[in-house]
Amino acid sequence: MSESAAPESQAYHFGIVPPGTSPNVGWGKRPELLPEAGLDTRCVHAGAQPDPAYGSVVPPIYQTTNFAFFDLGTSSGFDYTRSGNPTRARLEEAIANLEGGSGATCTSTGMSAVLLALNLLEHGSHVLVTEDCYGGTFRALEHARNTYGLQVEYLDLADLEAVKAAWKPNTRLVWIESPSNPLLRLTDIAAVAALARERGAFSLVDNTFLSPILQRPFELGVDLVLHSATKYLNGHSDVVSGAVVAAPDRKDLAQRLPYLNNLLGISQSPHDCFLVLRGLKTLTLRMAAHQANASELASRLEAHPAVARVNYPGLPSHPQHELAKRQQKGFGGMISFELKDPTKVPSVLRGLRWFTLAESLGGVESLVAHPATMTHASMTPEARRRAGISDNLIRLSIGIESLEDLWADLKHQLD
Ligand SMILES: *Cc1c(COP(=O)(O)O)cnc(C)c1O
């Protein structure tokens, strides 16, 4: 056998399809049709082309650390799973497609997505951040301040004058959480993104609470979108996952994201990617169900005499209801509220039947949480007070159960 024939026969032996000779004609065709397709169609089909090896309709889990080279210098495009994996590539394609971005990278958790995004900053940068941001994001930013000298400033980003006043020559990033957690406060995303661009910084929206179905940050001019895919994107409370997505006109960032993911070693496992891909298929259905329940429950809670205040952007009483209608495609499935009698908070938290007392959110099942002692315990009491997170605030992640069951449960505790 001649030497030149060896790689081919070896490849045949290992069952590797030579590059460019994939027998599957469907592969690579449907993604081109996707941009014009509706979001429901894209949830089902983005990243879901039949597998080129055997045509499996559901993406296989490539549970492997490494990939055989076809020949010296010729690989399938994948060599090592930390750097790249076909199952993860599908999820990245799907999330980038749903957000309308130029590229995405998927990380082991939402927090590792936060870490990755912060690693885009050069030394000596200054960051402006939503004041009542996710507690873990606050902790990561404080760690970066103490360890790497990152300059961080928390403020109400809805106050554009305050944002301008806080701006420094080294401000490189505006970190927007809208709606924020747990107070559901909004930022005028288009206004802040425009300011950031004008001044040579980039803007990021943590879109965890609304998902690309209910909020489309790239259409508002931001540079990056971040997700804790643990929440609505996966939707079934069985995997932790994160993603960072680059805007359609930020291909430069899209290239740096996978580079940093590989460098930091925080990429998502193939099995977890498979689960999130499965979750994505029902994203539009789930978001509609979460939102229908939440809108109705928010109104009923607001009308209940035991309740002092309800935070839900869909309520006309929400101070930024008009902004919510303008910049969001919906109001989401998260509600927080305060009781008139703070001594009743523990019994409500303990007594609910369909709402599990648990952290996290965005799953099909309803959850109740006490931000001051749970999700936001990593904030200092002073930072919580400044952000307006009181000890009698209760947060609900509204699931997709029957509305009347959820209401009967809440009403029973409030009565
Ligand atoms: C949960 C969450 C995160 C962190 O994500 P994990 O998957 O828990 O690591 C970040 N931002 C927001 C808004 C979140 O709700």
Side-chain angles (χ1 to χ4, degrees), residues 109-111 134 137 177 181 206 208-209 228 230-231 240-241 361:
T109 65
M111 282 315 300
Y134 176 70
T137 302
E177 229 183 275
N181 176 20
D206 183 334
T208 299
F209 266 40
S228 168
T230 310
K231 318 293 168 54
V240 285
S241 171
L361 60 108

Side-chain angles (χ1 to χ4, degrees), residues 178-179 207-215 232 287 328 330-333:
S178 182
N207 207 22
T208 299
F209 266 40
L210 290 177
S211 88
I213 309 305
L214 300 183
Q215 180 162 269
Y232 290 106
M287 292 316 291
Q328 301 177 186
F331 306 116

